[in-house]
Amino acid sequence: MTKSPLCPCGSTLLDTDCCRPILADHHRAKTALALMRSRYTAFAEKHEKHILASWNVKNRPDKLNFDNHPVVWLGLEVHDTQDGTAQDNTGMVEFTATYLENGQIARLREKSRFCKEDDLWYYLGGEIDVKRQKVERNGACPCGSGKKFKRCCLEKSLV
């Protein structure tokens, strides 16, 4: 399976024009939405350095353990934003991130809060709701592709 040149965050932009520059340089996230998208991409790619660097120091974990929580990130849908522009100091982004974990599709809906300090956006935390759905191998894939689960998202999780 070849890696798509499109950004994993679902923006429809090329990876090199979207989250990749922010993963390399946190200062490039000019809005809360841009930081949230880059954090999704960082989780999808297990880019621990960016995740921790973009997490507010007041509630940042010491480290992440991707091995004890293996997931395959399948998609991101942004529902709403409040403030979070280059001129603001706080912002909120509401989104749903879909992932595959232990043969189940999970949809994590979150209202994330962000703050800007010294011209850098940081993730503060959020209200999270996770819904899980067991999917049969021959059933329709819940991602909406129209394919069977075994030929779509399950296949992605085995790569």
Side-chain angles (χ1 to χ4, degrees), residues 22-23 26 35 38-39 42 47-54:
I22 299 170
L23 293 177
H26 182 178
L35 183 65
S38 75
R39 286 176 55 81
H47 194 299
E48 182 177 25
K49 182 179 177 184
H50 177 69
I51 296 166
L52 294 176
S54 62

Side-chain angles (χ1 to χ4, degrees), residues 83-134:
D83 302 322
T85 69
Q87 293 75 35
D88 295 315
N89 289 318
T90 62
M92 184 281 300
V93 180
E94 184 175 359
F95 65 90
T96 298
T98 304
Y99 60 93
L100 180 64
E101 179 182 36
N102 298 324
Q104 291 186 324
I105 293 288
R107 289 186 177 81
L108 180 150
R109 186 160 183 143
E110 181 172 349
K111 284 185 180 180
S112 292
R113 294 180 327 279
F114 296 86
C115 69
K116 189 164 55 171
E117 297 174 2
D118 298 324
D119 211 32
L120 282 175
W121 281 103
Y122 292 96
Y123 171 74
L124 288 170
E127 300 167 25
I128 298 173
D129 180 43
V130 177
K131 294 198 179 349
R132 299 179 192 285
Q133 171 187 0
K134 178 85 171 132

Side-chain angles (χ1 to χ4, degrees), residues 2 15 37 44 53 74 80 91 110 121 126 145:
T2 350
D15 184 45
R37 285 185 175 280
L74 302 173
D80 190 22
E110 181 172 349
W121 281 103
S145 67

Side-chain angles (χ1 to χ4, degrees), residues 47-65:
H47 194 299
E48 182 177 25
K49 182 179 177 184
H50 177 69
I51 296 166
L52 294 176
S54 62
W55 209 317
N56 186 279
V57 71
K58 294 174 187 157
N59 58 359
R60 175 189 311 152
D62 293 329
K63 64 180 186 164
L64 302 175
N65 188 343

Side-chain angles (χ1 to χ4, degrees), residues 40 43-45 66 69 71-75 97-100 108 156:
Y40 171 85
F43 273 101
E45 296 180 355
F66 294 109
H69 194 67
V71 300
V72 176
W73 295 93
L74 302 173
T98 304
Y99 60 93
L100 180 64
L108 180 150
K156 291 177 191 175

Side-chain angles (χ1 to χ4, degrees), residues 15-48:
D15 184 45
T16 54
D17 296 333
C18 192
C19 291
R20 189 70 40 216
I22 299 170
L23 293 177
D25 180 2
H26 182 178
H27 283 90
R28 293 181 182 225
K30 299 299 181 193
T31 65
L33 178 59
L35 183 65
M36 187 281 302
R37 285 185 175 280
S38 75
R39 286 176 55 81
Y40 171 85
T41 296
F43 273 101
E45 296 180 355
K46 299 178 182 172
H47 194 299
E48 182 177 25

